Amino acid sequence: MTNVKLLRIRIRILGEPVRLRLLLLALGTFAVGTDGMVMAGILPLIARDLNISISVAGQVVTVFALSYAVLAPVLATVTAHWPRRRALLTALAVFTLANCLTALAPSYGVLLATRVLAATGAALYTPTANAAATSLVEPERRGRAIAVVMGGLTVATALGVPLGTWIGRTDWRLTMWLVTGLGIAAFTGLALLLRELPHPASALTLRDRLAPLADRRVLGAALTTFLVFLAFQTSFIYYTVATHPATGGDQDRLTLLLLVSGIASVGGSSAGGRLVDRWGPRTVIVSSSAAYTVLAAASPWTLRTMPSALAASALTPLVGWAVAVALITRLASLDPPNAPVLVSLNSSALYLGVAAAGGTGSLAITLFGDRWFLLVGAGLMTVATAVATFTTRTPRAASGGEHEGPPRLKRADPVA
């Protein structure tokens, strides 16, 4: 069953009155997700157009991810008392304008500035969209509502990235016009069809949002997420370089590999959830991280031909996204009433990992070349596996439980 069909089933369960609004919120997260991940497929075109190296072009991913990671908790605090409809529309307006400017960027410096602006809109939109989703349904259905909205990100992985890569196969600016169009569609739909939402309750301060990091288990979980996505993205940001021997520089072949990778990512997320329910997050984190390390270590050989690259593009994200799901589940289980705040910290750690990966991958290519730089990702995942193994060793880890939670927040906010 495709991920799109699963989204439709979830929405049907939630009821028809909210169906259109949730779809519109999901369209926004689809646009944000596509924008954040599609750069990996068009870096060579950006480098050629702006007369820079691929390693330098990769820093557009770093700038976007770092800006998102830093701005998300700050913007959540600054806009905490805004009406949610206004926050959503403001976020999409900024995001859409930024991508329009990206498509028109005449130089590398201007391009970097537009990516900071795009990250600002994205960092405000995604948490607010989750908040809006929870206000549209009864408390017992909040989880399913958030699953629908965040499903836009997984659909972006499976469809948005390969579609954007294919559209931009001759001109990367066409990809950015696609993202701009998605932003306009989401903005228009929400402006016309989303009525005013309940005003948010009293909000957490920035200090309150960061307070859980005082707990070593929360800090360890965030560190593991950082290392895991550092390992992932060190290879993925420069995926066009890594797969060049298999694709021969052909964008259609690259699009196929990205499509297989995206579908496998959705499958990994789904399978990861089931495995966590059966075996517990610690087992899935450690075992899947170890499996990813093996696959990453083999990638200098498996990405040399198209058949083996297709197999690697299916297996690696299948295992990798199972790790990602398990990391979120474990962190949320440490203090369920305040899970959204903990998950927001996980998101910041994730984007910090992506940001650092831009520089790490660039340095690895410079030091080890276009083939062997992939082993750096394997080495980083080895470190992540060791950290995960050490930091998840709690007295009740064997039974899947956790002992007392981290420092309690002043209140349980339904969204971060």
Side-chain angles (χ1 to χ4, degrees):
M1 183 179 294
T2 66
N3 196 54
V4 174
K5 288 181 178 178
L6 286 173
L7 277 175
R8 287 174 178 169
I9 290 173
R10 286 169 177 165
I11 292 168
R12 195 176 300 122
I13 291 172
L14 288 167
E16 292 297 324
V18 301
R19 177 176 182 173
L20 182 58
R21 295 183 180 92
L22 290 175
L23 279 175
L24 290 171
L25 291 170
L27 178 59
T29 55
F30 175 73
V32 168
T34 300
D35 187 38
M37 294 180 285
V38 77
M39 287 294 180
I42 59 175
L43 283 184
L45 298 173
I46 294 175
R48 190 181 312 131
D49 183 38
L50 299 180
N51 195 30
I52 56 178
S53 68
I54 291 182
S55 295
V56 172
Q59 302 317 302
V60 300
V61 179
T62 298
V63 167
F64 181 94
L66 181 60
S67 300
Y68 188 109
V70 173
L71 290 172
V74 175
L75 290 174
T77 303
V78 171
T79 64
H81 296 291
W82 286 21
R84 283 174 178 151
R85 185 173 182 273
R86 185 210 299 175
L88 287 168
L89 294 179
T90 300
L92 285 175
V94 172
F95 174 82
T96 302
L97 174 62
N99 278 284
C100 177
L101 295 175
T102 297
L104 297 171
S107 65
Y108 180 65
V110 174
L111 177 63
L112 291 179
T114 65
R115 301 319 295 154
V116 173
L117 190 62
T120 302
L124 176 58
Y125 180 81
T126 303
T128 308
N130 284 328
T134 61
S135 68
L136 289 171
V137 298
E138 297 83 358
E140 64 272 14
R141 295 182 177 179
R142 285 175 176 170
R144 281 171 285 183
I146 290 176
V148 171
V149 174
M150 296 308 290
L153 295 178
T154 56
V155 174
T157 304
L159 299 178
V161 173
L163 176 62
T165 301
W166 183 80
I167 288 176
R169 65 192 184 280
T170 57
D171 185 352
W172 66 272
R173 297 177 191 274
L174 294 176
T175 299
M176 305 320 298
W177 286 121
L178 169 67
V179 178
T180 300
L182 292 172
I184 292 173
F187 178 90
T188 302
L190 291 176
L192 294 176
L193 300 172
L194 186 68
R195 64 180 181 270
E196 189 54 81
L197 301 166
H199 197 283
S202 57
L204 296 173
T205 66
L206 182 60
R207 181 176 180 180
D208 291 333
R209 291 175 183 276
L210 299 178
L213 291 174
D215 183 273
R216 64 175 182 80
R217 293 169 304 138
V218 175
L219 184 61
L223 176 60
T224 302
T225 295
F226 169 81
L227 290 170
V228 164
F229 278 87
L230 176 61
F232 285 175
Q233 297 296 321
T234 292
S235 300
F236 184 73
I237 290 174
Y238 301 99
Y239 191 70
T240 51
V241 175
T243 59
H244 189 271
T247 65
D250 184 274
Q251 285 294 108
D252 290 334
R253 287 191 172 194
L254 176 62
T255 298
L256 177 60
L257 291 178
L258 288 171
L259 179 62
V260 170
S261 178
I263 293 172
S265 298
V266 175
S269 296
S270 178
R274 291 185 175 89
L275 291 174
V276 166
D277 288 342
R278 183 171 183 178
W279 295 336
R282 182 178 192 271
T283 300
V284 176
I285 292 170
V286 175
S287 61
S288 296
S289 296
Y292 182 94
T293 301
V294 173
L295 291 169
S299 59
W301 294 271
T302 58
L303 297 181
R304 305 297 289 180
T305 67
M306 197 63 185
S308 58
L310 283 168
S313 296
L315 291 175
T316 305
L318 188 69
V319 173
W321 281 97
V323 178
V325 171
L327 285 169
I328 295 173
T329 304
R330 178 178 182 271
L331 189 58
S333 71
L334 294 177
D335 187 11
N338 292 300
V341 176
L342 298 180
V343 171
S344 73
L345 292 174
N346 185 79
S347 296
S348 289
L350 185 159
Y351 275 97
L352 285 173
V354 175
T360 303
S362 175
L363 179 61
I365 290 174
T366 300
L367 293 177
F368 304 113
D370 293 355
R371 180 179 184 180
W372 302 108
F373 87 94
L374 293 164
L375 294 178
V376 174
L380 289 168
M381 185 57 78
T382 301
V383 176
T385 304
V387 171
T389 301
F390 177 76
T391 59
T392 56
R393 293 181 65 180
T394 61
R396 295 175 59 188
S399 61
E402 298 284 356
H403 52 73
E404 64 260 32
R408 304 293 295 185
L409 302 177
K410 292 180 180 178
R411 66 179 191 85
D413 194 348
V415 287

